[in-house]
Amino acid sequence: MRNIAFNQAGDRVVILDQTRLPGCVTYLELGTAEEIYDAIRRLKVRGAPAIGICAAFGMYVLSLSMPRESYEEFSKEFARVKEYIGSSRPTAVNLGWALQRMERIVSEHPGAPVSEICVKLKEEALEIQQEDMDMCRRISEYGLSLIKNGDGILTHCNAGPLATSRYGTALGPLFLGKERGMEFKVFADETRPLLQGARLTSYELEQGGIDVTLICDNMASMVMKNGWVQACFVGCDRVAANGDTANKIGTSGVAILADYYHIPFYVLGPSSTIDLNCPTGADIPIELRPPEEIKEQFYEQPMALAKTKCYNPAFDVTDHSLITAIVTDQGIFRAPYTESLVGITQI
Ligand code: MRU
């Protein structure tokens, strides 16, 4: 089953609950705006493309119970709910991008019967998911062209099938290579504080039969120094027009280390993650999350005093100067990014 789907009746979104992995494979049904907001906010569904897909599926499901008497009432309510779902997480541009595509379906059919608009909304949500699968496949092909059999690859956070629809972005080339009989040695950063690398990346790679070694984030320098890493592959939540890239907190540190050890550092993402309206990384909103994630989550008892202050940004920005190339479904883009990325076509 896909990680995001409709239930059999077609009136709920079904997601694989990523917070329960790797111990439990549990599916959740989401039927209200609050449930969809909460699932995204609490990372039950996570990864930039996946939250966009979930939001698109959610808007269709929610549209089924919106006022149907007039187009005006329907579109007003649609805009209100879209704003609410869009406020669940600020950094990944894919969320706003997918919601805008859904709203465009409404605005492009003024006065049409609501039942007809709902049919088109469902088609659009499924189209967004299908496009993501196609984009990930193309990213995987381009990414695979940058590495060779036997290479050691370091990755941070989770940018695999769970975070997308299929293949993934940063992990896509590794799954595609595996299908073609290639072997890689992957080092997965555990990714403090929410452990996406430990819980999700090492799980996905183990399932796919790919050699994976889990390391704590502070061990990346050591494995690079040992000569075990030939390339870093990471995903992205938003790429600014100058190539500055927001991704999971800790990514910029990996890029700085890779630069020091002369290891190529590649960012892989769909064209929907490139935000040409965002001039630089300084313009990317960075999500701040609660201190409990650092002090309590995953521990049997708190690891710091209740009064101890925490700073918990969910993402950081890697400066474009540290990025060897940005690998998208439309090709491999290199510096100067202000010139190369303008060639990206967006839907
Ligand atoms: O907070 P998360 O787990 O949603 O952060 C996810 C990442 O940073 C991923 O690397 C990014 O979304 C790319 S997923 C293809």
Side-chain angles (χ1 to χ4, degrees), residues 26-337:
T26 319
Y27 289 89
L28 293 174
E29 286 204 2
L30 314 172
T32 67
E34 290 71 25
E35 285 168 353
I36 293 161
Y37 177 100
D38 188 70
I40 297 174
R41 177 83 201 136
R42 292 177 187 272
L43 276 58
K44 291 176 183 175
V45 55
R46 52 146 297 285
I51 60 178
I53 296 165
C54 179
F57 275 53
M59 287 309 298
Y60 161 69
V61 161
L62 298 171
S63 73
L64 298 174
S65 52
M66 287 180 192
R68 299 189 152 232
E69 291 68 41
S70 74
Y71 171 83
E72 286 67 31
E73 269 185 80
F74 174 78
S75 59
K76 204 171 143 196
E77 178 63 0
F78 194 93
R80 188 190 69 75
V81 176
K82 177 205 147 205
E83 283 305 308
Y84 171 64
I85 301 291
S87 67
S88 53
R89 295 194 76 190
T91 303
V93 70
N94 308 59
L95 177 60
W97 169 87
L99 287 168
Q100 248 162 29
R101 276 186 59 168
M102 295 301 278
E103 194 169 47
R104 212 190 304 152
I105 296 295
V106 178
S107 62
E108 280 174 357
H109 296 88
V114 170
S115 54
E116 271 176 34
I117 296 177
C118 288
V119 171
K120 292 190 186 307
L121 285 169
K122 183 174 187 181
E123 286 167 2
E124 187 72 357
L126 291 167
E127 178 66 21
I128 288 171
Q129 187 180 45
Q130 183 58 51
E131 279 171 19
D132 186 67
M133 283 186 225
D134 299 342
M135 288 196 283
C136 286
R137 171 74 196 204
R138 287 198 290 274
I139 292 166
S140 305
E141 288 282 2
Y142 285 121
L144 191 55
S145 73
L146 298 167
I147 51 178
K148 56 182 194 324
N149 196 31
D151 274 355
I153 310 293
L154 187 136
T155 191
H156 189 77
C157 194
N158 172 262
L162 287 164
T164 57
S165 42
R166 203 174 160 224
Y167 284 105
T169 57
L171 300 189
L174 311 175
F175 285 113
L176 189 62
K178 179 76 190 172
E179 279 175 17
R180 295 180 181 166
M182 295 169 78
E183 300 291 343
F184 303 105
K185 291 193 180 311
V186 183
F187 293 92
D189 280 354
E190 69 171 350
T191 318
R192 283 278 293 151
L194 294 182
L195 308 182
Q196 289 92 333
R199 295 186 301 104
L200 308 174
T201 298
S202 58
Y203 167 79
E204 284 187 321
L205 292 170
E206 293 282 4
Q207 298 277 100
I210 295 173
D211 183 313
V212 58
T213 303
L214 180 63
I215 57 170
C216 299
D217 298 346
N218 54 7
M219 298 169 189
S221 175
M222 181 78 166
V223 297
M224 287 185 189
K225 189 174 183 175
N226 288 349
W228 296 344
V229 180
Q230 279 65 57
C232 298
F233 274 7
V234 299
C236 46
D237 285 80
R238 192 185 297 237
V239 178
N242 72 343
D244 289 351
T245 294
N247 191 50
K248 178 51 55 193
I249 189 72
T251 303
S252 68
V254 174
I256 290 165
L257 289 173
D259 185 50
Y260 181 83
Y261 289 110
H262 308 296
I263 296 167
F265 180 90
Y266 298 109
V267 168
L268 297 93
S271 41
S272 51
T273 308
I274 317 283
D275 187 357
L276 295 177
N277 296 319
C278 190
T280 74
D283 305 295
I284 301 177
I286 299 293
E287 176 184 1
L288 288 177
R289 296 191 60 91
E292 292 71 34
E293 291 181 350
I294 296 179
K295 293 197 280 189
E296 295 175 21
Q297 201 159 337
F298 306 118
Y299 293 119
E300 274 184 7
Q301 55 186 29
M303 283 295 128
L305 297 176
K307 68 177 181 189
T308 299
K309 278 186 291 178
C310 288
Y311 173 53
N312 186 15
F315 301 95
D316 62 19
V317 173
T318 299
D319 194 85
H320 60 273
S321 62
L322 297 168
I323 300 171
T324 310
I326 299 173
V327 182
T328 78
D329 48 291
Q330 293 176 30
I332 300 173
F333 293 81
R334 294 183 190 265
Y337 295 108

